């Protein structure tokens, strides 16, 4: 049920916050296909948990790059996730290369980037990991090769309407993605395409990082792309002189070269090698070409792109190839066995094997730099027999089509580019369904709202950017009625009262402001910093910012917050300890989160803490790591009180303590479950025991990833707004869980309709509806523009910070791709 904002709730909107997300430069998928790494131009890395069914995508963690990464020459150029470990479910090791010629590894447990190879003296444009060979898969391919006897994949039948809609039942073999198995040899190799015209090859070592192995002979142009053959004995490279070269890996000799066949030199930006031996290239002329990898002859050429082809990727069974480029398009090509009829009835029809164009999607507004294939492993939709029939209506739920094609274990295509967006597509039914917007608000700015500020005329809003902090005073008295599209509300005015910048070589990781607005703090990649905000006598909003001294030796933090009384600053250090600092005396107490009781004094072994929440009475501190484990500490005794292993095996997307009961911790997970935990009793709260596993289906299909909670600032309140960047849901813990998809509620609605003939019963029903505000529990409110923050100003007013996406796009460095408008 998607509703408009309640008329009884006054909404104030801020649309003036400067929000500039960074372009995506590279994508990579983990070895088990369950996670996607997205590298951005600002040297940050995001790890996304691949989602299926009705569950929203979740950004598992974000890691900032090196402190000196703001140098343009150190920007990332390539990303590769190497399947170097043999055990099932392994993610592998994640490497990135930079324009300055360095190679780094991303530590996903300690949340840091570590340089494993200093600059090689030239830029690295692309990296390629040696393919992981599964013994079962290899045996299958050898059998197929004997049956086929040529360099094409197995035929998929004639291309007809069924092929174009891509609904074939025989394509279930897309799911046959085999991860386990034994390698033919130990270790793996990494090939790097370098600006000096060479391909350098390194062995990946667990102990020593990368070990140099050999360099292939230098060519006249720059090496821009590189790919391994599936047999691992050949490497194919593409260069700026318009040639594709085939190399013998062991001997280091050039076996043959392919001229892409255009006039003048053309840059070959992307290369992939299919298991059948076919080489696919994408170049600066907009051509996608298929070559025989054994002898270098041209098999097929397509020119559907209107600009450079920047990325190529193949489906898991290698009978589909996707391309993207500077025209913003993502295009699908499919392998076909097409039978050609003969006039002689005695002669068997000839079979023409070719790659055909299927469909294109202009999903992005700018260059599409990266493509990858991922496989959802999170829990799926309800079983078919449990699905509730949807009520017919004019409005469909947001992203309704996504639930039709995104299923457990079924591969999907992910694209990213200069418009900072990530989109997911159906691999099997690319032409049938539209793309899914994974992150409607990329690189959302962290914000915090302070309602009661004795020294200021209105609430304070802290906004964290990568290089600075802004503190705004929100003026609600002179807010004007909003006339722009979207939910009703008033546009609130803001006055900038403080602006603090970090050092030029640093990035701000986390920040916080005290509940009274007097103190604020941030941590960069070196150390935490504390400031005091004072109002001067001269001027209406004249302020001074004074830096306060913190105790020596504190590590930089992944998360920080003030206690409710503003007397203590709590840091989640990168050393995996939690520090509680008395702001007045400077006294420090620290403890290490642990899974068992009485082990706080042992060295930290748990993953880093990335979220923390304090109860209103300052008794409890909930600390949550990036994988979803929860550690509850008693701030009065400064000891760990409870450990909760990740709920339903999912990560925590948002949490908070209820103002009406400081013992109740409300938790939202990436699998769209909602929990109310009684931390004092160390058990599920009464509400969760009754309702957690029977939540309305519309909540389980929450549009977008849940990013926050907002409680009414009242000790008697029992409701909370759960919100994503696309919608928010009102939940009242005192009302029964139900809705239009609940059979009991449906029966009640039928009974109510029968009551309408009785005047007395009708009036009684209207009174009940008035008391409840005319709605059921778990009602949704849709946002038209990406929302960055939602917070209560009072029991009857709400602050919404959003930004029209068009205004964000207008601030990009590059202009959108020109697209033809129908009828012009």
């Amino acid at each position: 049920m998607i509703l408009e904002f309640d008329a009884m709730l006054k909404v104030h909107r801020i649309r003036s916050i400067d929000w500039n997300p960074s372009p995506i430069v590279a994508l990579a998928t983990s070895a088990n296909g369950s996670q996607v790494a997205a590298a951005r131009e600002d040297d940050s890395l995001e790890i996304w948990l691949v989602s299926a069914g009705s569950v929203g995508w979740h950004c598992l963690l974000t890691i900032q790059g090196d402190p000196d990464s703001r140098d343009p020459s150190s920007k990332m150029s390539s990303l590769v996730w190497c399947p170097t470990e043999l055990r099932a479910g392994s993610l592998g090791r994640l490497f990135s290369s930079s324009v300055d010629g360095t190679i780094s590894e991303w530590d996903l447990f300690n949340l840091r980037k570590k340089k494993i190879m200093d600059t090689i003296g030239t830029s690295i444009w692309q990296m390629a990991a040696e393919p992981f060979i599964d013994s079962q898969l290899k045996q299958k391919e050898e059998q197929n090769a004997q049956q086929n006897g040529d360099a094409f994949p197995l035929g998929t039948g004639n291309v007809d309407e069924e092929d174009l809609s891509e609904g074939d039942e025989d394509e279930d073999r897309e799911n046959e993605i085999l991860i386990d198995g034994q390698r033919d040899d130990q270790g793996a190799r990494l090939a790097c395409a370098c600006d000096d015209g060479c391909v350098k090859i390194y062995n990946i070592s667990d102990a020593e990082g990368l070990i140099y192995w050999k360099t292939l002979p230098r060519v006249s142009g720059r090496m821009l792309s590189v790919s391994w053959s599936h047999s691992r004995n050949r490497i194919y490279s593409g260069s700026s002189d318009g040639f594709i070269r085939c190399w013998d890996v062991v001997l280091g000799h050039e076996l043959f070269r392919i001229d892409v066949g255009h006039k003048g030199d053309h840059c070959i930006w992307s290369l992939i090698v299919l298991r059948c031996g076919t080489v696919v290239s994408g170049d600066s002329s907009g051509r996608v070409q298929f070559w025989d990898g054994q002898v270098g002859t041209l098999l097929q050429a397509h020119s559907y792109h209107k600009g450079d082809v920047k990325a190529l990727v193949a489906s898991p069974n290698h009978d589909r190839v996707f391309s993207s480029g500077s025209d913003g398009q993502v295009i699908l090509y499919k392998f076909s066995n097409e039978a050609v009829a003969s006039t002689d009835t005695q002669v068997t029809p000839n079979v023409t094997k070719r790659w055909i164009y299927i469909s294109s999607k202009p999903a992005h507004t700018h260059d599409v730099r990266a493509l990858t294939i991922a496989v959802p492993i999170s829990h799926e939709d309800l079983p078919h027999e449990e699905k509730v029939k949807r009520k017919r209506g004019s409005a469909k739920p947001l992203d309704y089509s996504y639930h039709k094609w995104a299923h457990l274990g079924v591969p999907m295509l992910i694209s990213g580019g200069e418009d900072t967006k990530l989109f997911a597509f159906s691999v099997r039914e690319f032409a049938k369904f539209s793309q899914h917007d994974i992150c409607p608000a990329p690189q959302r700015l962290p914000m915090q709202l302070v309602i009661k500020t004795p020294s200021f005329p209105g609430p304070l809003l802290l906004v964290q950017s990568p290089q600075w902090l802004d503190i705004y005073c929100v003026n609600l008295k002179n807010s004007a009625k909003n006339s722009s599209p979207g939910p009703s509300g008033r546009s609130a005015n803001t006055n900038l009262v403080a602006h603090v910048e970090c050092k030029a070589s640093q990035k701000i990781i986390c920040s916080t402001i005290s509940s009274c607005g007097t103190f604020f703090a941030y941590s960069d990649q070196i150390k935490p910093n504390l400031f005091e905000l004072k109002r001067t006598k001269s001027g209406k909003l004249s302020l001074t910012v004074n830096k306060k001294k913190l105790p020596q030796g504190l590590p930089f933090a992944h998360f920080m917050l003030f206690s409710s009384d503003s007397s203590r600053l709590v840091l989640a250090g990168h050393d995996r300890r939690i520090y509680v600092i008395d702001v007045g005396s400077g006294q420090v107490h620290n403890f290490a989160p642990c899974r068992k009781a009485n082990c706080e004094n042992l060295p930290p072994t748990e993953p880093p803490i990335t979220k923390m929440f304090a109860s209103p009475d300052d008794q409890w501190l909930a600390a949550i790591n990036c994988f979803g484990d929860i550690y509850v500490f008693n701030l009065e005794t400064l000891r760990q009180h409870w450990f909760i292993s990740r709920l339903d095996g999912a990560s925590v997307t948002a949490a908070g303590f209820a103002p009406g009961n400081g013992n109740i911790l409300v938790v939202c997970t990436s699998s769209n479950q909602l929990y109310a935990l009684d931390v004092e009793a160390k058990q599920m709260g009464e509400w969760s025991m009754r309702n957690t596993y029977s939540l309305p289906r519309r909540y389980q299909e929450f549009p977008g990833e849940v990013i926050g909670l907002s409680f009414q600032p009242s000790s008697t309140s029992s409701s909370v707004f759960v919100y994503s960047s696309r919608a928010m849901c009102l939940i009242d813990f005192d009302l029964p869980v139900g809705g239009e998809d609940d059979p009991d509620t449906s029966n009640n609605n039928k009974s109510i309709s029968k009551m309408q003939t009785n005047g007395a019963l009708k009036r009684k029903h209207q009174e009940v509806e008035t008391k409840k505000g005319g709605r059921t529990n778990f009602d949704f409110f849709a946002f038209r523009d990406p929302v960055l923050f939602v917070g209560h100003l009072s029991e009857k007013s709400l602050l919404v910070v959003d930004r029209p996406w068009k205004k964000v796009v207008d601030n990009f460095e590059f202009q959108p791709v020109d697209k033809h408008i129908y009828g012009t």
Side-chain angles (χ1 to χ4, degrees):
M1 184 187 295
I2 307 294
L3 303 174
E4 292 295 326
F5 278 107
D6 191 349
M8 300 191 60
L9 189 67
K10 187 180 289 185
V11 178
H12 301 271
R13 302 174 66 193
I14 297 176
R15 319 195 81 181
S16 57
I17 301 299
D18 194 19
W19 170 38
N20 297 303
S22 180
I24 292 173
V25 296
L27 295 173
T29 304
S30 61
N32 63 2
S34 67
Q35 296 180 18
V36 170
R40 293 189 180 270
E41 199 173 71
D42 64 355
D43 204 52
S44 64
L45 181 86
E46 298 169 356
I47 303 295
W48 289 84
L49 186 65
V50 183
S51 159
S54 62
V55 183
W57 279 67
H58 172 54
C59 186
L60 194 64
L61 53 92
T62 300
I63 307 174
Q64 299 295 339
D66 294 328
D68 59 351
S69 61
R70 292 174 69 180
D71 182 355
S73 66
S74 64
K75 291 180 180 179
M76 280 187 280
S77 58
S78 181
L79 199 62
V80 62
W81 217 323
C82 299
T84 56
E85 300 185 30
L86 305 180
R87 65 179 184 273
S90 169
L91 295 176
R93 298 174 66 182
L94 183 60
F95 299 97
S96 66
S97 62
S98 299
V99 178
D100 63 1
T102 60
I103 297 178
S104 302
E105 182 172 5
W106 295 84
D107 187 339
L108 303 185
F109 186 84
N110 293 305
L111 307 186
R112 63 179 183 179
K113 176 185 179 183
K114 53 184 181 182
K115 193 178 293 183
I116 59 173
M117 192 182 74
D118 290 328
T119 180
I120 59 176
T122 185
S123 298
I124 299 174
W125 288 102
Q126 196 177 85
M127 297 189 298
E130 185 179 19
F132 176 77
I133 301 298
D134 180 84
S135 55
Q136 288 180 297
L137 188 60
K138 187 176 180 182
Q139 188 177 357
K140 269 188 176 183
E141 287 172 355
E142 288 175 353
Q143 293 173 357
N144 294 338
Q146 291 174 3
Q147 294 171 6
N148 287 358
D150 55 28
F152 283 91
L154 288 174
T156 53
N158 296 338
V159 177
D160 50 22
E161 291 181 5
E162 202 169 353
D163 279 323
L164 294 174
S165 67
E166 302 177 85
D168 323 279
E169 293 183 3
D170 65 352
E171 290 170 359
D172 288 340
R173 60 194 180 91
E174 284 273 15
N175 301 333
E176 297 177 8
I177 302 172
L178 304 172
I179 300 299
D180 309 329
Q182 297 294 326
R183 298 181 58 88
D184 293 339
D185 56 2
Q186 295 301 315
R189 291 171 290 188
L190 191 66
C192 303
C194 302
D195 191 74
D196 62 358
C198 295
V199 173
K200 300 181 186 295
I201 305 173
Y202 298 87
N203 285 313
I204 301 173
S205 167
D206 290 336
E208 303 178 45
L210 295 182
I211 303 173
Y212 174 78
W213 187 55
K214 79 168 46 174
T215 298
L216 300 180
R218 181 170 296 164
V219 302
S220 58
R222 296 175 294 163
M223 283 294 188
L224 302 175
S225 54
V226 63
S227 185
W228 292 77
S229 68
H230 192 64
S231 60
R232 301 182 294 176
N233 59 1
R234 290 185 176 188
I235 282 179
Y236 296 85
S237 65
S239 55
S240 60
D241 60 1
F243 285 99
I244 301 170
R245 292 171 173 85
C246 176
W247 305 89
D248 185 299
V249 175
V250 177
L251 300 177
H253 294 164
E254 181 182 322
L255 299 178
F256 59 85
R257 67 179 66 178
I258 303 169
D259 187 348
V260 293
H262 311 307
K263 294 180 180 179
D265 293 343
H266 287 80
C267 297
I268 300 166
W269 294 114
S270 186
L271 279 178
I272 58 172
V273 183
L274 306 181
R275 282 197 294 268
C276 61
T278 300
V279 177
V280 190
S281 66
D283 57 51
S284 55
S285 71
R287 288 196 180 189
V288 174
Q289 301 183 90
F290 296 81
W291 310 89
D292 186 323
Q294 297 299 315
V295 294
T297 56
L298 180 64
L299 303 174
Q300 199 90 31
H302 296 284
S303 300
Y304 292 96
H305 281 287
K306 298 174 183 177
D308 296 43
V309 178
K310 296 292 184 69
L312 296 167
V313 71
S315 64
N317 67 359
H318 286 211
D319 68 342
R320 289 172 172 82
V321 169
F322 298 89
S323 65
S324 66
S326 59
D327 58 356
Q329 291 192 94
V330 179
I331 296 178
L332 166 63
Y333 312 91
K334 185 178 176 185
F335 178 72
S336 165
N337 286 342
E338 184 177 349
V340 180
S342 173
T343 54
D344 189 349
T345 56
Q346 303 295 323
V347 178
T348 305
N350 296 321
V351 176
T352 303
K353 300 177 180 180
R354 58 179 184 149
W355 290 89
I356 63 169
Y357 165 86
I358 296 294
S359 178
S360 66
K361 302 249 182 237
H364 294 263
T365 58
H366 291 68
D367 288 19
V368 187
R369 297 187 188 179
L371 297 173
T372 192
I373 298 287
V375 184
I377 63 169
S378 57
H379 81 70
E380 201 182 3
D381 253 344
L382 296 174
H384 180 72
E385 60 271 15
E386 296 181 23
K387 290 186 178 180
V388 182
K389 216 170 186 180
R390 294 188 182 275
K391 186 178 178 181
R392 288 183 177 272
S394 57
K396 290 185 178 180
L398 298 176
D399 277 354
Y400 183 72
S401 66
Y402 179 68
H403 314 307
K404 292 183 178 180
W405 61 263
H407 301 295
L408 191 70
V410 177
M412 60 175 66
L413 172 71
I414 317 298
S415 65
E418 286 185 0
D419 62 0
T420 75
K421 290 272 195 172
L422 283 170
F423 287 106
F425 306 80
S426 171
V427 167
R428 285 201 264 174
E429 298 175 297
F430 180 83
K432 186 176 180 182
F433 295 111
S434 61
Q435 66 274 5
H436 172 67
D437 191 349
I438 294 172
C439 54
Q443 289 191 309
R444 181 177 53 88
L445 299 174
M447 299 184 189
Q448 187 178 342
L449 181 66
V450 179
I451 303 172
K452 297 178 181 179
T453 54
S455 302
F456 302 96
L460 294 180
L461 180 68
L462 173 72
V463 180
Q464 175 190 318
S465 295
Q467 277 80 42
W468 62 79
L469 292 180
D470 286 330
I471 300 177
Y472 296 91
C473 183
V474 183
N475 186 356
L476 303 176
K477 293 182 180 179
N478 300 323
S479 58
K481 185 71 176 177
N482 179 34
S483 60
S484 59
S488 59
R490 291 181 171 272
S491 297
N493 298 319
T494 57
N495 296 314
L496 182 65
V497 297
H499 177 82
V500 176
E501 296 187 6
C502 66
K503 290 184 178 180
S505 60
Q506 302 300 318
K507 286 184 179 179
I508 296 177
I509 298 176
C510 58
S511 61
T512 186
I513 188 169
S514 63
S515 58
C516 62
T518 304
F519 300 105
F520 67 95
Y522 76 83
S523 177
D524 54 24
Q525 294 157 301
I526 301 297
K527 63 178 182 178
N529 300 272
L530 176 63
F531 300 88
E532 185 177 12
L533 196 62
K534 282 187 176 181
R535 187 171 178 180
T536 60
K537 295 180 181 179
S538 60
K540 195 173 181 181
L541 270 179
S542 181
L543 300 165
T544 59
V545 177
N546 301 322
K547 189 169 184 179
K548 290 183 67 70
K549 219 173 184 182
L550 282 172
Q552 295 291 327
L554 290 174
F556 74 82
H558 292 300
F559 198 90
M560 54 173 46
L561 59 80
F562 282 99
S563 58
S564 297
D565 62 2
S566 306
S567 65
R568 289 179 287 185
L569 176 64
V570 185
L571 307 177
H574 81 96
D575 60 355
R576 293 178 285 168
R577 289 185 178 274
I578 294 176
Y579 295 82
V580 181
I581 304 135
D582 189 292
V583 175
S585 65
Q587 186 179 355
V588 180
H589 182 87
N590 73 83
F591 34 74
C594 52
R595 294 172 178 263
K596 297 179 181 179
N598 302 320
C599 60
E600 293 98 330
N601 296 324
L602 296 176
T605 57
E606 294 295 290
I609 300 299
T610 55
K611 293 182 179 72
M612 292 191 297
F613 305 91
S615 62
D617 57 3
D618 282 336
Q619 182 180 3
W620 306 111
L621 174 72
I624 305 169
N625 67 31
C626 56
F627 302 108
D629 300 315
I630 304 173
Y631 315 84
V632 179
F633 298 90
N634 190 322
L635 289 178
E636 295 177 353
T637 62
L638 295 175
R639 295 182 65 87
Q640 184 167 327
H641 175 72
W642 190 23
F643 169 76
I644 308 135
S645 183
R646 58 200 68 168
L647 299 163
D648 62 42
S651 300
V652 174
T653 56
F657 284 92
N661 186 347
N663 293 325
I664 299 299
L665 176 66
V666 180
V667 176
C668 296
T669 67
S670 59
S671 57
N672 284 6
Q673 292 294 333
L674 184 71
Y675 297 88
L677 308 176
D678 188 331
V679 297
E680 185 176 42
K682 299 183 181 180
Q683 64 181 20
M684 288 278 189
E686 184 182 344
W687 184 90
S688 276
M689 290 180 181
R690 293 196 314 266
N691 302 311
T692 286
Y693 298 105
S694 59
L695 297 179
R697 183 170 177 78
R698 61 179 177 271
Y699 179 80
Q700 296 176 24
E701 295 178 353
F702 207 111
E705 175 192 12
V706 171
I707 56 177
L709 306 179
S710 180
F711 295 93
Q712 284 187 345
S714 169
S715 58
T716 60
S717 171
S718 61
S719 63
V720 61
F721 274 114
V722 180
Y723 68 93
S724 70
S725 57
R726 305 186 63 200
M728 68 181 182
C729 176
L730 176 60
I731 301 172
D732 194 325
F733 295 105
D734 285 346
L735 291 179
V737 173
E740 63 185 9
D741 55 355
D742 193 326
D744 295 334
T745 307
S746 300
N747 292 334
N748 290 340
N749 290 339
K750 291 177 183 177
S751 302
I752 288 169
S753 61
K754 292 178 182 179
M755 289 181 188
Q756 306 306 318
T757 55
N758 185 308
L761 290 176
K762 181 177 180 179
R763 285 192 298 274
K764 184 177 180 181
H765 171 61
Q766 288 173 342
E767 290 174 6
V768 171
E769 286 297 306
T770 302
K771 289 178 181 178
K772 289 187 178 182
R775 65 172 54 139
T776 58
N777 207 0
F778 285 86
D779 277 344
F780 271 85
F781 305 84
F783 301 133
R784 293 188 184 178
D785 294 315
V787 164
L788 306 176
F789 177 80
V790 172
H792 275 86
L793 295 165
S794 66
E795 291 184 50
K796 296 296 183 180
S797 63
L798 197 70
L799 179 68
V800 176
V801 182
D802 63 2
R803 184 80 167 161
W805 184 247
K806 185 180 182 304
K807 290 188 177 181
V808 179
V809 172
D810 289 342
N811 287 333
F812 288 165
E813 182 181 354
F814 301 101
Q815 292 298 314
V817 176
D818 291 328
K819 293 181 180 178
H820 177 71
I821 299 175
Y822 181 76
T824 62

